[in-house]
């Protein structure tokens, strides 16, 4: 089951609901509906989940996050050393995937900030928005138009083009 | 007047046709009260039996029945199995790798069925990597050997001192020169 987001990393702003000040004797329909929802939906679902967890806790399994060693890059390989090319290519692909996930995380941060702030997001979320723009700009520069058949060599050539353009511009 | 007598004779004829039906005597056929259709108790329960003529749907229904049967034949056991695994075994939790411990390759997956497949059916990713590198190494060595072979061929053809471009001829010592030393024999 998907877990809730990390509340320590993205703290919610303090609640600003005023204290309950009942001025009528009529029952509060919102309170009634919330209690009905709790007893009909929330409580059965929570008890079922607790029951399933207690069954599962006998044989609990764990999984780990794999760490790969760094290998020499494409620029550090001898010419004609195809094994070195392969290892560099695999490392580049892993880095490409990691970069995609980084962009997704930053995007998710910006979206959750916008959702929390509501109508005043442009004013309150400047850090997240600026970080997102920087990260996406860099991602586009590095991996932008490589396409579906991207590989390490094409990315290196793109970097070479960027450096040549920068040199031509500065000269 | 004449009509009345025709009716009376018709009633007598009807009575003679089905004399056993109650109320069908000649006297009562003309004089019995006709029930009004709007005041009689109408029961919609059975209704009028109709013989509906439509093209056969036997083959269609048989196909759907068999389809349902063969899909559910393996579908229901698979559904029970997967539900049981998800409830009783459950997914794994993400933890840090403990110090000095080298996890097996299947311990990097979350779902129990994926772990089982990775453990029993697939090779570990490390082994796949090494297999790929071995294939690349073999191909590289083959390519290098072919290039050196071409190089050696070129050299031997040019300088002529290698064994490849030398045609074996007979030994000079074997030639019998005795008939050649005295002419006009």
């Amino acid at each position: 089951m998907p877990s809730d987001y990390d509340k320590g990393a993205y703290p919610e702003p303090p609640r600003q609901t005023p204290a309950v000040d009942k001025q009528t004797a009529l029952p509060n329909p919102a309170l009634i509906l919330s209690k009905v929802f709790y007893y009909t939906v929330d409580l059965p679902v929570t008890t079922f989940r607790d029951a399933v967890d207690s069954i599962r806790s006998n044989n609990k399994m764990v999984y780990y996050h794999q760490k790969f060693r760094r290998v020499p890059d494409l620029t550090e390989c001898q010419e004609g050393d195809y094994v070195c090319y392969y290892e560099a290519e695999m490392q580049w692909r892993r880095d490409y995937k990691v970069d995609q996930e980084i962009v997704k995380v930053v995007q998710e941060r910006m979206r959750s900030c916008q959702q929390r702030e509501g109508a005043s997001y442009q004013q309150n979320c400047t850090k997240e928005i600026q970080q997102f723009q920087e990260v996406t700009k860099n991602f586009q520069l590095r991996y932008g138009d490589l396409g579906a058949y991207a590989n390490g060599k094409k990315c290196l050539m793109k970097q070479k083009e960027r450096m040549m353009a920068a040199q031509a511009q500065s000269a | 007047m004449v009509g009345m007598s025709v009716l009376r004779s018709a009633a007598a004829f009807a009575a003679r046709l089905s004399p056993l039906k109650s109320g069908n005597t000649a006297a009562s056929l003309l004089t019995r009260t006709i029930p009004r259709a709007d005041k009689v108790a109408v029961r919609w329960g059975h209704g009028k039996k109709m013989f509906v003529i439509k093209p056969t749907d036997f083959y269609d229904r048989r196909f759907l029945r068999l389809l349902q049967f063969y899909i559910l034949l393996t579908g229901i056991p698979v559904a029970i199995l997967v539900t049981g695994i998800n409830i009783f075994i459950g997914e794994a939790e993400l933890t840090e790798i403990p110090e000095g411990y080298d996890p097996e390759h299947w311990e990097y997956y979350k779902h129990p069925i994926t772990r089982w497949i990775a453990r029993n059916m697939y090779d570990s990713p490390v082994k796949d990597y090494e297999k790929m590198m071995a294939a690349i190494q073999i191909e590289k060595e083959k390519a290098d050997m072919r290039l050196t072979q071409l190089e050696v061929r070129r050299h031997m053809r040019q300088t002529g001192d290698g064994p490849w471009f030398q045609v074996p001829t007979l030994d000079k010592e074997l030639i019998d020169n005795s008939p050649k030393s005295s002419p006009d024999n």
Side-chain angles (χ1 to χ4, degrees):
Chain A
M1 234 164 105
S3 58
D4 215 351
Y5 66 90
D6 187 5
K7 296 231 165 31
Y10 313 112
E12 281 176 2
R15 298 185 71 100
Q16 290 171 342
T17 46
V20 175
D21 184 22
K22 258 186 99 157
Q23 289 184 334
T24 66
L26 295 170
N28 188 3
L31 195 65
I32 293 173
L33 281 174
S34 67
K35 281 220 173 317
V36 162
F37 179 80
Y38 176 73
Y39 284 112
T40 51
V41 176
D42 202 351
L43 209 54
V45 168
T46 319
T47 43
F48 177 70
R49 171 90 175 152
D50 288 338
V52 166
D53 273 340
S54 67
I55 295 173
R56 272 197 207 171
S57 58
N58 300 333
N59 31 9
K60 201 75 196 109
M61 287 186 308
V62 288
Y63 75 112
Y64 309 105
H65 187 73
Q66 190 160 19
K67 292 187 172 42
F68 292 93
R69 285 197 295 265
R70 299 301 293 185
V71 289
D73 211 2
L74 197 57
T75 46
E76 292 159 24
C77 280
Q78 298 281 338
E79 181 171 336
D81 187 4
Y82 298 103
V83 179
C84 185
Y85 289 175
Y86 176 74
E87 290 205 80
E89 174 71 30
M90 287 293 120
Q91 179 173 268
W92 180 84
R93 268 177 212 235
R94 289 194 293 266
D95 290 340
Y96 188 22
K97 268 214 140 56
V98 167
D99 286 336
Q100 285 170 338
E101 293 296 320
I102 289 173
V103 170
K104 280 184 203 168
V105 165
V106 169
Q107 190 184 25
E108 190 61 35
R109 277 190 202 172
M110 191 184 77
R111 285 170 66 189
S112 53
C113 181
Q114 189 266 330
Q115 176 70 19
R116 276 199 309 271
E117 302 295 331
S120 59
Y121 67 95
Q122 250 163 342
Q123 187 188 358
N124 293 351
C125 297
T126 42
K127 275 207 299 288
E128 275 87 1
I129 292 176
Q130 192 250 337
Q131 192 185 35
F132 173 72
Q133 279 172 345
E134 198 183 301
V135 164
T136 45
K137 183 166 75 81
N138 291 335
F139 187 86
Q140 273 296 104
L141 279 180
R142 196 193 278 196
Y143 299 109
D145 290 311
L146 293 178
Y149 298 104
N151 61 18
K153 215 179 264 190
K154 287 188 191 173
C155 191
L156 190 65
M157 293 301 112
K158 188 171 183 214
Q159 188 187 17
K160 188 180 83 168
E161 288 290 313
R162 269 206 320 273
M163 289 163 116
M164 277 162 51
Q167 207 169 32
Q169 205 180 30
S170 66
Chain B
M1 304 266 275
V2 177
M4 288 297 282
S5 65
V6 167
L7 275 175
R8 222 178 272 265
S9 53
F13 189 62
R16 201 175 306 160
L17 276 181
S18 47
L20 290 177
K21 266 231 169 101
S22 60
N24 245 1
T25 58
S28 61
L29 210 57
L30 278 176
T31 52
R32 66 180 173 190
T33 51
I34 299 163
R36 286 183 64 101
D38 52 349
K39 291 216 175 86
V40 169
V42 177
R43 293 179 184 88
W44 293 101
H46 302 282
K48 181 173 170 159
K49 283 188 190 260
M50 309 282 274
F51 184 75
V52 177
I53 298 178
K54 57 182 189 331
T56 177
D57 58 351
F58 170 73
Y59 299 101
D60 300 332
R61 281 192 298 126
R62 183 183 70 176
F63 167 71
L64 291 171
R65 205 171 63 234
L66 290 175
L67 186 75
Q68 189 190 34
F69 173 70
Y70 283 111
I71 285 178
L72 290 181
L73 188 64
T74 46
I76 288 183
V78 163
I80 292 176
L81 193 74
V82 172
T83 312
I85 287 180
N86 277 332
I87 290 180
F88 293 105
I89 299 183
E91 291 181 344
E93 272 178 1
L94 185 60
T95 48
E96 290 292 327
I97 302 178
E99 282 297 326
Y101 176 61
D102 198 19
E104 304 282 344
H105 68 275
W106 67 81
E107 287 177 2
Y108 290 114
Y109 299 103
K110 190 162 67 161
H111 196 268
I113 297 181
T114 323
R115 283 168 82 107
W116 184 84
I117 293 174
R119 193 169 67 227
N120 297 77
M121 289 165 44
Y122 283 169
D123 279 331
S124 89
V126 176
K127 190 168 168 190
D128 283 337
Y129 197 81
E130 296 287 332
K131 283 195 298 205
M132 187 64 170
M133 288 210 287
I136 291 173
Q137 178 72 11
I138 288 171
E139 290 299 313
K140 174 180 187 289
E141 280 170 9
K142 272 159 69 175
D144 287 341
M145 276 210 259
R146 285 180 189 134
L147 282 174
T148 45
Q149 187 195 14
L150 286 175
E151 196 62 28
V152 163
R153 242 174 96 102
R154 195 170 62 83
H155 274 288
M156 283 193 186
R157 207 192 268 273
Q158 265 177 350
T159 53
D161 58 353
W164 289 357
F165 291 94
Q166 291 166 356
V167 179
T169 48
L170 281 179
D171 196 2
K172 269 205 306 251
E173 315 298 324
L174 294 171
I175 302 174
D176 181 19
N177 286 322
S178 46
K180 299 173 191 169
S181 53
S182 49
D184 302 333
N185 200 8

